[in-house]
C-alpha cells in the first residue's frame, strides 16, 4: 500500500483514489454537500480553503487544501518510484 501526502500531515492510500478534481464546478459542489450530509466527507483542509477533492473507491470524499496538480504530481512521483 502506497500512501500519499495530501497536505498538512494528512495522508491517504494512493491505491484507493479514483479521481482528483477541483471543487469549483457545481456538480462537484453538490457531490461534496451530499457526502457531508451522509457523513462520507473527510475534511483534511485544517481550516483552509478547499482546493482539491479526492474521490475514493469506498464512496468517501476527501477535501484537501493543496492544488489538484500538486496531489497528482505526488501521485505520479510515487508511481514512477515503483517502476
Amino acid at each position: 500500500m502506497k500512501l500519499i501526502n495530501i497536505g498538512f500531515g494528512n495522508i491517504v492510500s494512493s491505491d484507493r483514489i479514483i479521481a482528483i478534481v477541483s471543487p469549483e464546478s457545481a456538480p462537484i459542489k453538490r457531490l461534496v454537500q451530499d457526502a457531508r450530509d451522509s457523513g462520507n466527507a473527510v475534511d483534511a483542509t485544517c481550516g483552509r480553503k478547499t482546493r482539491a477533492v479526492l474521490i475514493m473507491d469506498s464512496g468517501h470524499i476527501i477535501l484537501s487544501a493543496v492544488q489538484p496538480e500538486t496531489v497528482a504530481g505526488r501521485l505520479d512521483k510515487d508511481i514512477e518510484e515503483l517502476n
Side-chain angles (χ1 to χ4, degrees), residues 40-54:
N40 288 331
V42 178
D43 189 350
T45 61
C46 296
R48 292 171 176 84
K49 180 180 177 185
T50 300
R51 296 182 187 267
V53 176
L54 286 75

Side-chain angles (χ1 to χ4, degrees), residues 22-55 59-65:
S22 172
E24 302 302 319
S25 70
I28 299 301
K29 288 179 182 179
R30 282 193 300 272
L31 184 70
V32 169
Q33 189 58 50
D34 290 346
R36 283 188 173 149
D37 293 343
S38 66
N40 288 331
V42 178
D43 189 350
T45 61
C46 296
R48 292 171 176 84
K49 180 180 177 185
T50 300
R51 296 182 187 267
V53 176
L54 286 75
I55 302 171
H60 288 86
I61 303 295
I62 300 178
L63 309 176
S64 174

